[in-house]
Amino acid sequence: MLPAPNLRAAFDAEDADRYDLHSRHLNHQMVRVLKTIGFDARFVRGKGAHLWDAGGGRYLDLVSGWGVFAVGRNHPHIAAALHSVLDADLPNLVQMDVSPLAGRLAERLLARAPWLQKAFFANSGAEAVEGAIKFVRAATGRTGIVHCEHSFHGLTYGALSAVGEKLYRDGFGPVLPDFREIPFDDPAALERALSKRDVAAFLVEPIQGKVVRPPSPDYLREAHALCRKYGALMIADEIQTGMGRTGRFFAVEHYGAEPDVVLLAKALSGGHAPVGVVLMRADVFAKTFDRMDKAVVHGSTFAKNDMAMAAGLATLDVIENEKLIENAAAKGARLLAHFKTLQKRFDYVADARGLGLMLALELGDPKSLTLRGLWGMLETMNKGLTGQLVTIPLFKDHKILVQVAGNGSRAIKLLPTLTLDDDDCAWIERGFSETLEAAGQSAGPVWSLGKTLLDGVRASRR
Ligand SMILES: Cc1ncc(COP(=O)(O)O)c(C=O)c1O
């Protein structure tokens, strides 16, 4: 008999080699990035909002696996749910039967969106977007998909066709035809795009995730009214904003919008079992599955698997039981208020924005000429590099893991777990104030950090 697997031991045994292994067999450019910015900390443990490095140092994680750990890392209730699936010998993925767990999860998610009646499960965010594109095309008999500049919807071909950043598309074309890009938060542009009446749907993130951009208060409601006027559907991509992150279960609730299709993924996984879902009106669903011989016309082998469904159910339990939506609202408001004071204090902080625990602090142009010189040089070398002048000291000196928002942006983005407590908030407030204070001093450390970044970027281009 094989010995019982011990993944902790396997992880520890390979630990010293992790960056070499990745450089050899996986994404060597990612290893380069980590080493250049000094994020090669070799994390060995995660719990709640925190990560630990090999030396026992505790870090506050404001990336949360790009938003999957809404309930915190390794939550015991999620782990217990997954153990109980494995222990129960359930008849998983029979395919020629239907799963009670999927039925129950669909019911609980739809209870959060009472204007929708049907759910379709997928294995990831991008797969949910792919499904939505098919559903809306089938439902309307039209092909056009309107999306926004700076949008992000995933990197498979359908989703990629709706991504508003060139970097992700360059070299991979052609993407799907009939995708049209308009500015975000611009109802007139949307109306022009819809007016030919050949658009199946407007696909939009309620708050743009890459740059953390909330819309004007009426935009989403107006957009939906325009879609109705021209016979198009509206798809809200809540893959990043959903499940309580913004202080409501769905971000569209802040704006009084009830889109025809709503997408979730990321946080629904509890951080453990990849999953995505398309929630939609019954009539939208019905056009795809309109005959018995089309019962499997769209789907995916692993969708609705018991681990994913159990993770989704357990995640909803935790969100409700621990009042994480209320916590996201309260802690988000506290942090945003603090960032607004930083904006007043430092001339090189141009903006602080966001909703709930989806926040951004954007750097601007410093008044000091010396600082302007250094920042300008960094920006010329690589647009967005100045943001790393803040993320690197936050990591090194304050043990805060945070990222620059989107490609070429100068915004620092916070997407933490929804479990942040007052100590975590104080940690963030202290870390950001001290780091921004230091970033404004043109002497010593900032220059040497700038030089390290420039050298790193130059080396990566050789
Ligand atoms: C708004 C949004 N949509 C879709 C996706 C794609 O999700 P996935 O990475 O699970 O494919 C993401 C991922 O970051 C996202 O933020």
Side-chain angles (χ1 to χ4, degrees), residues 103-295:
R104 183 76 185 119
L105 181 57
E107 186 176 65
R108 285 183 66 184
L109 289 171
L110 287 162
R112 291 280 184 175
W115 67 96
L116 303 176
Q117 300 80 35
K118 287 283 191 177
F120 175 88
F121 285 106
N123 297 297
S124 67
E127 223 187 73
V129 174
E130 299 291 331
I133 293 167
K134 289 176 75 176
F135 286 122
V136 297
R137 282 184 165 175
T140 59
R142 300 174 175 185
T143 53
I145 304 288
V146 175
H147 67 94
C148 292
E149 291 170 3
H150 305 297
S151 56
F152 189 82
H153 299 287
L155 298 177
T156 53
Y157 267 103
L160 182 65
S161 310
V163 167
E165 294 289 351
K166 238 168 90 37
L167 173 87
Y168 293 106
R169 285 209 300 256
D170 274 359
F172 299 113
V175 291
L176 295 189
D178 272 355
F179 279 63
R180 299 161 209 169
E181 187 169 295
I182 59 167
F184 180 70
D185 205 13
D186 184 342
L190 178 62
E191 179 148 26
R192 280 194 298 278
L194 295 172
S195 60
K196 282 207 312 207
R197 296 183 183 270
D198 60 352
V199 171
F202 174 44
L203 169 60
V204 64
E205 296 158 90
I207 297 172
Q208 288 201 301
K210 277 284 171 206
V211 282
V212 187
R213 182 167 171 203
S216 311
D218 296 333
Y219 175 58
L220 295 170
R221 238 177 323 111
E222 270 183 53
H224 195 204
L226 286 171
C227 287
R228 272 199 223 104
K229 178 172 167 191
Y230 292 102
L233 298 167
M234 180 157 130
I235 307 169
D237 179 345
E238 294 252 14
I239 287 167
Q240 193 168 140
T241 51
M243 310 284 298
R245 170 151 307 278
T246 67
R248 304 291 282 268
F249 190 83
F250 296 111
V252 290
E253 293 171 38
H254 291 284
Y255 304 102
E258 296 189 344
D260 310 289
V261 181
V262 177
L263 313 178
L264 293 172
K266 291 191 186 278
L268 185 60
S269 68
H272 279 290
V275 63
V277 68
V278 185
L279 303 174
M280 70 201 106
R281 288 198 336 237
D283 58 313
V284 175
F285 188 85
K287 282 279 172 47
T288 291
F289 296 106
D290 60 347
R291 296 194 313 253
M292 232 196 314
D293 63 315
K294 285 172 69 184

Side-chain angles (χ1 to χ4, degrees), residues 66 122 133-134 167 174 182 184 224 251 263 279 329 344 353 367 380 400 407 410 417-418 441 454-455:
W66 292 337
I133 293 167
K134 289 176 75 176
L167 173 87
I182 59 167
F184 180 70
H224 195 204
L263 313 178
L279 303 174
K344 285 209 185 90
R353 57 179 182 269
K367 286 214 176 78
T380 313
I400 290 176
N407 180 49
R410 283 207 236 170
T417 70
L418 309 187
Q441 279 143 26
L454 286 174
D455 291 347

